[in-house]
Amino acid sequence: MRIAGAVRVVVAAAACGVLLTSCGSGDGSSAKGGGADAGHGKGAGGAGSDGGRAADLKRIPDVGDRLQSRIPKDSRQVVAVYGEGEDSAKSKVVLYTKSSETDTTWEQNRSWPAHNGKKGWTTDHHEDDKRSPVGVFTLTDAGGVLADPDAKLPYTKSDSMQAPHYWPKTHWHDFDYVIAIDYNRAKGTPPNDPTRPQGQAKGGSIWLHMDHGSGTSGCVSLSKSGMEHLLRTLDPKQHPVVVMGDKANLKA
């Protein structure tokens, strides 16, 4: 539970080594683009969709039965990450919401260009494979180097999340804002908590974080304004989840 006016205890700096190995992209690769908002509001449509009205969205667009069935019944906020291809680092993030517990339709809230693992996607993620895990994961915890931007998720401000300055300057602000993706991590802990219930080999520290213009080591990255919007919108009471993968795996 979040305590008003306070942040949770900062994790030891040792945890930062875990998150930087798994989530960072310190090899010097960078490229232009991927920073601005792509669009928002009704009728913008999902990746590959026909731009139908929000009232027509009985399901998350372009997501097949396998993953659709894993979205919790009580979830009213879904962050969908549509990867361009299994081996592509480019993707699109779309936020879908429901207005109430009884609402049966999804509305597209906003979307942004994004990046994922530099080698693409995998259904069997392992440490250092440079691919993002395909699946449906809860979103329960947030944090970053910067002060809490009025996030609804529990937020931990910690300098231990700072990207090292021996990385290229384009990567220094990657972890200014972070939303932990609950893949192989302990829920209810700061994003850089090193606990990995499935073991170290299965990787971890998979986050939504700020974009540096190219692929990551497994995380999903988007613009600062996009991260601020997600942090101020995703609400534990709405049971937010992320549905993520390349287009083919999403539709399977």
Side-chain angles (χ1 to χ4, degrees):
M1 178 177 294
R2 189 173 177 179
I3 301 176
V7 294
R8 295 176 297 182
V9 178
V10 173
V11 209
C16 190
V18 175
L19 72 93
L20 294 179
T21 299
S22 191
C23 194
S25 181
D27 61 357
S29 62
S30 63
K32 294 181 180 179
D37 291 1
H40 58 87
K42 296 181 180 180
S49 74
D50 60 4
R53 294 175 304 162
D56 294 334
L57 299 182
K58 300 297 184 183
R59 296 160 56 96
I60 300 300
D62 303 312
V63 176
D65 291 343
R66 181 175 62 89
L67 294 181
Q68 198 89 39
S69 65
R70 297 182 189 176
I71 299 173
K73 299 297 184 184
D74 59 357
S75 178
R76 299 195 296 278
Q77 294 179 326
V78 170
V79 179
V81 185
Y82 298 99
E84 286 192 5
E86 188 173 17
D87 300 321
S88 173
K90 293 183 179 180
S91 54
K92 178 182 180 181
V93 168
V94 183
L95 174 61
Y96 296 99
T97 60
K98 288 182 177 179
S99 60
S100 69
E101 292 182 8
T102 58
D103 194 357
T104 60
T105 61
W106 292 97
E107 177 180 339
Q108 179 175 309
N109 179 277
R110 196 164 295 184
S111 65
W112 304 268
H115 288 94
N116 49 267
K118 63 186 66 176
K119 291 188 178 180
W121 297 89
T122 179
T123 57
D124 186 22
H125 178 69
H126 285 80
E127 183 80 354
D128 294 329
D129 65 9
K130 309 301 182 186
R131 292 179 178 269
S132 297
V134 174
V136 177
F137 309 101
T138 53
L139 301 170
T140 55
D141 304 280
V145 178
L146 298 181
D148 185 347
D150 199 23
K152 288 184 170 65
L153 293 172
Y155 187 94
T156 300
K157 180 186 182 303
S158 172
D159 289 339
S160 70
M161 296 185 202
Q162 174 69 58
H165 280 200
Y166 59 78
W167 284 9
K169 192 173 182 178
T170 52
H171 295 60
W172 288 1
H173 296 285
D174 281 12
F175 311 133
D176 281 0
Y177 290 131
V178 166
I179 298 171
I181 294 172
D182 292 336
Y183 169 85
N184 197 19
R185 70 177 301 271
K187 298 179 184 180
T189 63
N192 59 344
D193 185 284
T195 305
R196 295 186 175 178
Q198 299 176 56
Q200 191 75 14
K202 290 293 290 181
S205 298
I206 305 296
W207 298 346
L208 295 164
H209 66 68
M210 285 172 51
D211 191 60
H212 54 251
S214 63
T216 71
S217 289
C219 296
V220 173
S221 62
L222 61 154
S223 65
K224 181 178 181 180
S225 61
M227 285 299 300
E228 288 174 335
H229 182 80
L230 291 177
L231 285 165
R232 292 167 182 163
T233 303
L234 297 178
D235 185 346
K237 295 178 181 179
Q238 311 300 318
H239 308 285
V241 299
V242 61
V243 181
M244 53 194 281
D246 59 281
K247 292 179 182 178
N249 272 305
L250 285 178
K251 289 182 178 180

